[in-house]
Amino acid sequence: VHRRRHILLSAASNQSEVSQVSSNEDIISLADLRYQEWMVNDDDGGGNCNGDHAPPPNLSNFRRATAEIYHERKTEGALVFLAKLNDGGSSLVVGAAELSPIELKGAIMIAPTQLDDNRRLLYVTDVVASSSHRRLGIGSKLMYAVEETACKLGSQCICLHVEHDNKVARRFYERLGYVYVDTSGSGEVDCTTDGLVSLSLLEESIAVSQSTLLETETKTQTESIVTLNTHLLAENAGTVGQLVMMKRLVPSAYAPITQLTDYHQALQM
């Protein structure tokens, strides 16, 4: 059994790829995956579905709504990633996740002397995986791509929400290095009873000096304190009552990457 599972894991890893949504076909595939897992299966315990037993909405309407929401959120900086399995020239979308600054608007408090740059903290939402392709390493590969892109955008920390009773998802994120934000003082990241979390982040500045023959650049890093209001974050995300998890990103943990100086470059990727 273990050997067979190892073979399946290797095959899935070799045949899968992660890319950002880039076409109408991708949007349709994204909608179909969400429809199947959120509206039809409704068995993941993650709180993504309607929570009732009403018939699912019309698929065509769901696709149309997905496209409208995707384009609206894209203009605000959200990026959607798809995990695809390639088989014989065709591909099947088996996972998706979104990296977004939207839910953090108004929830990040920065001292007036510091740069108001919410790229340093990003939010992961709408993570979904095909129920028939789970535990094959696809979710880990999907999250790796999300985190790698966050690093490219200059993010030093990402956060997400997970349901208390979704033990499978909680173990998954714990295994990837995410830690809990806790008001009790027992979590790895503590916050006040008002839901405030203070994060120490680094700002990099480049000073250019020019002599007669040479031009040199000097990079300096200064520490800045960013306060995240987790209560406002939950209200913005529609996840009040769920657990907050965070992960500090270490660029050296990912493949060699190039810093994106313009956030909107990522929208063309």
Side-chain angles (χ1 to χ4, degrees):
V1 174
H2 293 295
R3 175 174 171 77
R4 186 163 62 248
R5 176 165 176 75
H6 177 74
I7 293 173
L8 288 172
L9 282 167
S10 298
S13 178
N14 292 333
Q15 296 174 4
S16 64
E17 64 177 13
V18 178
S19 59
Q20 291 181 30
V21 169
S22 60
S23 66
N24 289 331
E25 183 180 3
D26 281 347
I27 297 175
I28 292 174
S29 296
L30 170 67
D32 289 353
L33 175 66
R34 289 175 172 176
Y35 185 86
Q36 183 65 36
E37 299 305 324
W38 293 355
M39 302 298 170
V40 178
N41 291 345
D42 192 9
D43 63 353
D44 64 0
N48 291 319
C49 305
N50 293 328
D52 53 35
H53 298 286
N58 177 274
L59 177 58
S60 296
N61 292 340
F62 189 85
R63 285 176 171 176
R64 190 178 303 110
T66 297
E68 291 174 358
I69 293 170
Y70 166 77
H71 288 297
E72 179 183 341
R73 290 179 63 83
K74 179 181 177 181
T75 61
E76 297 184 66
L79 305 171
V80 179
F81 298 77
L82 299 179
K84 301 178 181 179
L85 271 182
N86 300 312
D87 185 17
S90 62
S91 63
L92 175 67
V93 173
V94 294
E98 184 175 299
L99 182 66
S100 168
I102 301 170
E103 290 75 8
L104 292 159
K105 290 181 179 178
I108 298 178
M109 293 173 282
I110 305 176
T113 57
Q114 297 168 358
L115 296 176
D116 186 9
D117 184 359
N118 66 2
R119 291 179 299 172
R120 289 180 293 158
L121 182 63
L122 291 171
Y123 183 73
V124 180
T125 184
D126 289 345
V127 179
V128 58
S130 167
S131 54
S132 57
H133 294 86
R134 294 175 184 171
R135 303 188 67 185
L136 295 175
I138 294 172
S140 298
K141 196 168 185 177
L142 177 65
M143 291 302 294
Y144 180 96
V146 170
E147 294 169 7
E148 182 183 40
T149 300
C151 277
K152 289 181 180 180
L153 297 173
S155 179
Q156 298 175 36
C157 184
I158 57 177
C159 55
L160 52 83
H161 281 98
V162 64
E163 290 275 11
H164 285 261
D165 58 357
N166 193 342
K167 296 181 180 179
V168 173
R170 289 176 62 175
R171 285 196 297 269
F172 170 71
Y173 293 122
E174 289 169 3
R175 192 167 63 248
L176 294 181
Y178 288 79
V179 297
Y180 295 99
V181 175
D182 197 343
T183 57
S184 67
S186 60
E188 291 92 338
V189 179
D190 295 334
C191 68
T192 68
T193 55
D194 293 330
L196 302 180
V197 177
S198 293
L199 300 171
S200 175
L201 303 178
L202 295 176
E203 289 182 7
E204 184 175 85
S205 59
I206 301 177
V208 179
S209 60
Q210 189 169 6
S211 63
T212 306
L213 299 177
L214 298 174
E215 183 178 280
T216 58
E217 289 186 352
T218 303
K219 294 183 179 181
T220 58
Q221 288 186 330
T222 56
E223 184 182 53
S224 62
I225 303 299
V226 174
T227 301
L228 172 66
N229 188 322
T230 60
H231 291 176
L232 282 178
L233 172 62
E235 290 178 10
N236 293 344
T239 53
V240 175
Q242 295 188 21
L243 296 170
V244 184
M245 301 186 76
M246 286 187 169
K247 181 177 181 178
R248 283 191 176 273
L249 302 178
V250 181
S252 60
Y254 306 96
I257 57 178
T258 302
Q259 182 81 17
L260 294 181
T261 56
D262 183 357
Y263 178 80
H264 297 285
Q265 287 181 26
L267 303 181
Q268 308 300 322
M269 287 169 34

